[in-house]
Amino acid sequence: MWIRSTMAYRASFAMTLLGNFAGTALDFVTILLMFSRVDELGGYSLGQVAFLYGLSSAAFGLTDLTLGSMDRLGKRVRDGTLDTLLVRPAPVLAQVAADRFALRRLGRLTQGLLVLGYALTVVDIAWTPVKVLLMPVMLVSGAAIFGSVFVAGGAFQFVAQDASQVQNSFTYGGTTLLQYPPTVFAKELVRGVTFVLPLAFVNWLPALYVLGLPYPLDLPAWTAFLSPLVAVACCALAGLAWRAGLRSYRSTGS
């Protein structure tokens, strides 16, 4: 329904898609401006940073396309319109994800894939069958990890009711963090996004294995292949949090 509504005004859709593409592209323009003054950033070349950027943006773009409406859940909880979703014969999570589905978010996904394509052409990578297989695994696992953060943030809004910006600090803030090399951050922060909120498994750990670069925490090489397991664990925990939040929901009339 939302796609048909969007495509009814194709010129408007094209302009919003282009605007979304250009807005997200400014993040990479910032990186280009940095490299106009320096040759390396945290020991990484422009191509290597673009590789990290492209993987993070593409994985997040896929999640943002499917679950980007989750930050509106708090408004539905506050005004009681979530009740209409509860009486429909469809999963509430699917309905919240589809609420005001914005096809314009394809701009972010497209921009991330273009930067990733650029990185693959300029970075000298010693390709092996394992590394080739790891590329799509990174994108899918990364999208699932970001998705679990979206869902967990939505579950938190059942309690906080007005916490969309808290959620965005972990989702949009997380993807911005991962666009830069881990070597530019304090080791405490790197440990936090590795062992507490495992965003490092979106791209840092597997990507550095592909690039042949060491991880700042001196973890064993096999941790680069844990992204699918981490994604499954994160999704399971987010599912539990979602069900707990949904059970705790009380309508505005109660």
Side-chain angles (χ1 to χ4, degrees):
M1 180 188 72
W2 285 109
I3 292 175
R4 291 180 64 185
S5 174
T6 299
M7 298 309 293
Y9 304 93
R10 307 220 171 166
S12 176
F13 167 70
M15 287 187 288
T16 55
L17 180 65
L18 181 61
N20 184 269
F21 178 91
T24 56
L26 290 176
D27 291 338
F28 190 64
V29 171
T30 301
I31 294 175
L32 292 176
L33 290 174
M34 291 181 185
F35 275 94
S36 69
R37 299 297 182 184
V38 299
D39 295 326
E40 292 185 343
L41 183 62
Y44 287 63
S45 66
L46 174 59
Q48 292 168 338
V49 174
F51 187 72
L52 296 177
Y53 177 99
L55 286 170
S56 174
S57 295
F60 181 80
L62 184 59
T63 305
D64 192 40
L65 178 65
T66 55
L67 292 171
S69 299
M70 194 65 67
D71 58 359
R72 294 192 180 94
L73 180 62
K75 182 178 182 300
R76 282 192 172 275
V77 172
R78 292 194 305 275
D79 60 22
T81 56
L82 184 65
D83 293 2
T84 61
L85 306 186
L86 295 173
V87 298
R88 293 174 181 168
V92 177
L93 180 59
Q95 294 184 71
V96 173
D99 183 32
R100 298 186 178 275
F101 181 80
L103 200 58
R104 69 177 183 276
R105 294 192 178 105
L106 279 172
R108 178 186 292 273
L109 175 60
T110 303
Q111 189 260 343
L113 290 174
L114 287 176
V115 174
L116 179 59
Y118 159 76
L120 291 175
T121 61
V122 299
V123 178
D124 185 17
I125 299 175
W127 290 107
T128 64
V130 173
K131 291 183 178 180
V132 172
L133 181 61
L134 198 56
M135 291 298 296
V137 170
M138 272 192 283
L139 291 176
V140 175
S141 300
I145 293 172
F146 274 130
S148 67
V149 178
F150 268 99
V151 173
F156 179 65
Q157 292 190 58
F158 282 112
V159 179
Q161 299 184 7
D162 189 14
S164 60
Q165 294 307 315
V166 175
Q167 175 181 332
N168 291 343
S169 66
F170 290 98
T171 53
Y172 292 92
T175 187
T176 301
L177 174 77
L178 297 177
Q179 289 169 0
Y180 293 88
T183 51
V184 304
F185 301 105
K187 283 196 174 182
E188 290 76 14
L189 179 60
V190 177
R191 290 190 184 97
V193 296
T194 302
F195 302 111
V196 181
L197 183 65
L199 293 177
F201 291 90
V202 171
N203 68 339
W204 278 355
L205 280 163
L208 296 190
Y209 172 82
V210 173
L211 293 173
L213 297 173
Y215 193 63
L217 301 183
D218 296 325
L219 297 177
W222 53 264
T223 55
F225 304 98
L226 293 181
S227 293
L229 296 178
V230 172
V232 170
C234 288
C235 288
L237 292 174
L240 292 174
W242 175 262
R243 286 192 289 272
L246 196 59
R247 285 196 299 269
S248 70
Y249 172 70
R250 296 293 181 268
S251 178
T252 53
S254 61

